[in-house]
């Protein structure tokens, strides 16, 4: 008996693009394309280059599976283009994508909703000053000593990047300038946040349903780009090796973060658990990786969902939301 497909529309898998995560996006896209081919869907892989509009028209794409990571693929820009072209797509909408990609904006929304985030300040390259988060917002001049209000170590990261690109751990003042210079390679704003000691847990959410989580234990200093995408450099513990009550609290916090940003589809929420068992939201990934080493497929598998089942469920959500 032939399996009934979720949709007969031609699916374009957008991957690659121009962001710093291009290589990972290509790997995600090809994995998705292979799964769709095996499932019997009419699909085509598309490298999201400069002539994207004409390519989508030429290929007569009626539904887009977004396998882009970072940059315009994940910050709402591509989502806006597809909205204008009236092509349904997988993942979150324009607003959720844009806010989730902007770590300053998303942290402020999480704080508004009472969700724990590490203490942080924002450094603006063009102004060379610091803008504090919260009621005591103030700007410091370029020549004044940087004061964050929290102890080192600090995590310095670009305000708008993913896959831990441009991130540094700062343990003393001497390494701060280099860390900021590294972060500023990817934008005009950098986040300096307090490093939370404790387990790192990632929670997978699919269509408002929490699938589960994974604890990551990198052999490197932290879970950076190399640790994420090099086989053997990270230990994955499923389910996380933390207290059950704390795990449930982490899942609840992740779902609230997902809801606060109005996310949709497959989403991964990254958290750090401190010594008191408080789960701090680090960021929300609206287009999580779909490679062989990616966390979301691992979480889905632990919930009894094969990779092909996962891809089909993501499409099902997109088709359903397009009709609403």
């Amino acid at each position: 008996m032939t399996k009934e497909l979720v949709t007969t529309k031609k699916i374009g898998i957008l991957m690659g693009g121009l962001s710093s995560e291009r290589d990972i996006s290509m790997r995600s896209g090809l994995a998705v394309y292979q799964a769709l081919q095996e499932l019997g869907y009419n699909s085509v892989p598309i490298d999201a280059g400069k002539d994207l509009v004409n390519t989508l028209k030429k290929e007569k794409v009626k539904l887009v599976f977004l396998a882009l990571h970072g940059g315009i693929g994940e910050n709402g820009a591509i989502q806006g283009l597809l909205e204008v072209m009236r092509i349904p797509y997988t993942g979150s909408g324009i607003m959720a994508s844009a806010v989730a990609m902007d770590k300053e904006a998303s942290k402020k929304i999480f704080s508004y909703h009472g969700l724990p985030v590490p203490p942080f300040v924002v450094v603006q390259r063009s102004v060379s000053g610091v803008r504090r988060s919260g009621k005591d917002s103030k700007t410091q001049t370029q020549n004044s000593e940087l004061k964050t209000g929290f102890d080192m170590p600090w995590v310095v990261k670009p305000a708008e990047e993913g896959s831990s690109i441009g991130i540094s751990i700062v343990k003393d003042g001497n390494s701060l300038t280099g860390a900021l210079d590294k972060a500023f390679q990817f934008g005009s704003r950098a986040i300096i946040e307090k490093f939370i000691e404790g387990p790192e847990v990632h929670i997978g959410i699919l269509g408002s349903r929490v699938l589960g989580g994974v604890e990551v234990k990198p052999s490197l200093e932290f879970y950076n780009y190399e640790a994420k995408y090099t086989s053997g450099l990270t230990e994955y513990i499923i389910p996380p090796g933390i207290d059950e009550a704390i795990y449930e609290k982490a899942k609840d916090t992740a779902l609230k973060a997902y809801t606060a940003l109005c996310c949709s589809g497959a989403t991964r929420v990254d958290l750090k658990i401190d010594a008191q068992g408080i789960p701090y939201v680090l960021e929300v990934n609206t287009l999580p990786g779909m490679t062989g080493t990616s966390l979301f497929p691992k979480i889905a598998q632990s919930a009894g969902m094969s990779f092909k089942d996962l891809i089909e469920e993501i499409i099902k959500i997109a088709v359903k939301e397009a009709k609403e």
Side-chain angles (χ1 to χ4, degrees):
M1 183 176 177
T2 304
K3 180 181 178 296
E4 184 177 353
L5 302 179
V6 173
T7 180
T8 57
K9 293 180 179 180
K10 188 173 185 180
I11 302 172
I13 302 99
L14 292 197
M15 56 187 184
L18 306 173
S19 83
S20 55
E21 300 177 66
R22 173 180 169 82
D23 291 345
I24 303 304
S25 174
M26 292 295 289
R27 287 164 54 183
S28 285
L30 291 174
V32 170
Y33 174 63
Q34 181 178 345
L36 290 176
Q37 288 293 101
E38 292 176 0
L39 286 165
Y41 285 91
N42 180 13
S43 57
V44 58
I46 298 174
D47 192 343
K50 295 180 180 179
D51 202 25
L52 180 57
V53 172
N54 287 332
T55 302
L56 289 170
K57 289 180 178 178
K58 179 183 176 182
E59 294 290 348
K60 298 181 179 179
V61 169
K62 300 301 181 184
L63 175 68
V64 163
F65 193 111
L66 286 171
L68 294 167
H69 305 315
I72 62 172
E74 204 167 353
N75 68 2
I78 287 291
Q79 289 79 3
L81 171 67
L82 294 172
E83 293 273 0
V84 171
M85 296 183 71
R86 297 187 178 182
I87 300 176
Y89 53 89
T90 62
S92 294
I94 300 170
M95 186 195 74
S97 300
V99 176
M101 195 67 177
D102 189 316
K103 295 180 177 65
E104 179 183 2
S106 59
K107 284 175 181 293
K108 289 178 178 178
I109 289 178
F110 298 147
S111 296
Y112 175 82
H113 286 275
L115 300 175
V117 298
F120 74 99
V121 294
V122 181
V123 178
Q124 187 88 30
R125 181 179 56 191
S126 58
V127 179
S128 299
V130 176
R131 291 183 285 119
R132 289 183 179 273
S133 170
K135 297 179 181 178
D136 62 340
S137 178
K138 61 183 71 175
T139 300
Q140 298 182 5
T141 65
Q142 181 177 356
N143 296 324
S144 65
E145 183 181 354
L146 177 62
K147 292 182 174 65
T148 63
F150 46 87
D151 296 333
M152 290 185 178
W154 297 339
V155 181
V156 179
K157 62 179 74 172
E160 296 181 90
E161 269 298 335
S163 287
S164 300
I165 290 173
I167 292 185
S168 304
I169 305 295
V170 172
K171 298 179 180 178
D172 58 70
N174 295 328
S175 57
L176 178 59
T177 299
L180 285 172
D181 287 343
K182 181 179 179 181
F184 286 144
Q185 293 176 22
F186 303 96
S188 62
R189 288 176 299 143
I191 303 286
I192 300 177
E193 68 181 23
K194 181 177 177 60
F195 179 79
I196 304 297
E197 293 280 358
E200 181 168 347
V201 174
H202 299 234
I203 304 296
I205 300 173
L206 183 61
S208 301
R209 178 167 65 100
V210 177
L211 295 181
V214 55
E215 180 182 350
V216 296
K217 285 190 173 183
S219 58
L220 304 180
E221 183 180 24
F222 67 102
Y223 193 48
N224 61 12
Y225 186 91
E226 184 181 0
K228 285 183 177 182
Y229 299 113
T230 305
S231 181
L233 288 185
T234 300
E235 179 185 1
Y236 303 100
I237 303 172
I238 304 176
I242 57 178
D243 179 80
E244 183 63 31
I246 295 174
Y247 182 32
E248 289 302 317
K249 189 174 183 180
K251 289 192 285 188
D252 180 64
T253 298
L255 185 57
K256 286 178 178 176
Y258 172 100
T259 304
L261 298 189
C262 300
C263 294
S264 180
T267 303
R268 196 190 74 239
V269 183
D270 302 346
L271 311 103
K272 286 293 289 288
I273 316 295
D274 74 359
Q276 286 71 47
I278 298 173
Y280 285 84
V281 181
L282 300 181
E283 61 181 287
V284 171
N285 299 272
T286 54
L287 290 176
M290 293 291 166
T291 73
T293 57
S294 296
L295 298 182
F296 201 96
K298 292 179 186 292
I299 295 170
Q301 186 176 34
S302 72
M305 187 177 292
S306 69
F307 185 74
K308 286 191 285 189
D309 289 341
L310 170 61
I311 299 306
E312 195 163 46
E313 185 63 26
I314 291 172
I315 292 172
K316 186 183 296 183
I317 293 170
V319 170
K320 179 177 180 293
E321 291 186 346
K323 291 179 180 178
E324 294 178 346

